[in-house]
Amino acid sequence: MIFVRSILCEASAVTDFGIRAATHSDSEFLVDMLMDAVNWLPTRHWSRDQILANPALAHYVTGWMRRDDFGLVAVDPAHEPVGAAWFRYLTAADPGYGYVSDDVPELTIGVVQTWRGRGVGRALLRAALAAARERGVRTVSLSVERANFASRLYAAEGFRTVESFENSDTMVAEIGT
Ligand SMILES: CC(C)(COP(=O)(O)OP(=O)(O)OC[C@H]1O[C@@H](n2cnc3c(N)ncnc32)[C@H](O)[C@@H]1OP(=O)(O)O)[C@@H](O)C(=O)NCCC(=O)NCCS
């Protein structure tokens, strides 16, 4: 487990959280985080059932954890999960929104609302990219709706847009050494 101390300048508060590898038993929490990623717009309220019934969304979590799935979970001092970033290999036959190629895993990330803006998302993203690099992954991808501030976070952490759709961008990061 990596421990992180994030200093929240505005409130002069200190926030501690840990980051650990995701496991089989995180599947329900990953569904929670997929819900947060889908519902990032305050006006969007997709239910858990709606998301799990939609194959284009459910395939980011269905059957977690498969042999080639990997990810990280951020936890609070009581070890309760507060965020997750995970990769899944999707295929041309069942592509994700950020699909680039069968050998490029796609990232999903979410932080629980009360923990946002404290550095958890950036720390998770960096840890996820490091975990991918350690596994020998050279390129990773994601999809982000352009209006989501998260696209700026991704760009700041090395992602670049490779394809644009009406409201969303597919971004990749080359992480090979
Ligand atoms: C996107 C998300 C994972 C980022 O995690 P986070 O813990 O809130 O992000 P951090 O605190 O690490 O902040 C990362 C950067 O984003 C900025 N940021 C955070 N919240 C922001 C907001 N609401 N609006 C604009 N910028 C914001 C921070 O200022 C920081 O940049 P800085 O270091 O230059 O100041 C999280 O906000 C989230 O889960 N959102 C809802 C789900 C979602 O949108 N998922 C991504 C779908 S593609």
Side-chain angles (χ1 to χ4, degrees):
M1 170 118 62
I2 306 166
F3 288 95
V4 182
R5 171 155 288 193
S6 159
I7 300 174
L8 195 62
C9 299
E10 217 170 89
S12 300
V14 174
T15 307
D16 285 315
F17 56 92
I19 295 180
R20 60 163 173 78
T23 70
H24 278 98
S25 51
D26 292 310
S27 58
E28 286 302 309
F29 182 66
L30 264 46
V31 178
D32 293 344
M33 293 300 94
L34 178 62
M35 279 182 70
D36 280 10
V38 171
N39 292 319
W40 71 272
L41 262 181
T43 51
R44 194 180 289 155
H45 302 289
W46 282 55
S47 72
R48 193 180 193 86
D49 287 348
Q50 277 176 305
I51 288 171
L52 292 178
N54 182 331
L57 296 172
H59 64 182
Y60 289 104
V61 289
T62 310
W64 180 269
M65 149 176 214
R66 293 183 193 148
R67 201 168 50 86
D68 54 2
D69 288 336
F70 62 105
L72 285 311
V73 172
V75 293
D76 71 10
H79 301 280
E80 289 299 317
V82 297
W86 69 98
F87 287 104
R88 175 157 266 192
Y89 288 90
L90 294 167
T91 64
D94 179 28
Y97 289 105
Y99 176 81
V100 171
S101 130
D102 284 14
D103 60 357
V104 172
E106 186 173 336
L107 179 81
T108 307
I109 185 168
V111 172
V112 302
Q113 192 140 23
T114 51
W115 275 80
R116 290 180 196 159
R118 301 196 208 180
V120 176
R122 191 187 294 279
L124 269 175
L125 182 56
R126 288 182 178 174
L129 294 179
R133 198 175 293 115
E134 272 169 30
R135 296 168 71 98
V137 175
R138 305 187 68 81
T139 309
V140 298
S141 74
L142 57 80
S143 173
V144 61
E145 288 177 82
R146 208 164 299 121
N148 190 339
F149 80 86
S151 62
R152 295 198 293 280
L153 168 63
Y154 303 143
E157 295 299 325
F159 283 83
R160 66 189 165 85
T161 299
V162 292
E163 197 168 5
S164 290
F165 302 93
E166 192 182 346
N167 299 317
S168 67
D169 292 326
T170 297
M171 303 181 85
V172 302
E174 306 291 350
I175 57 170
T177 49

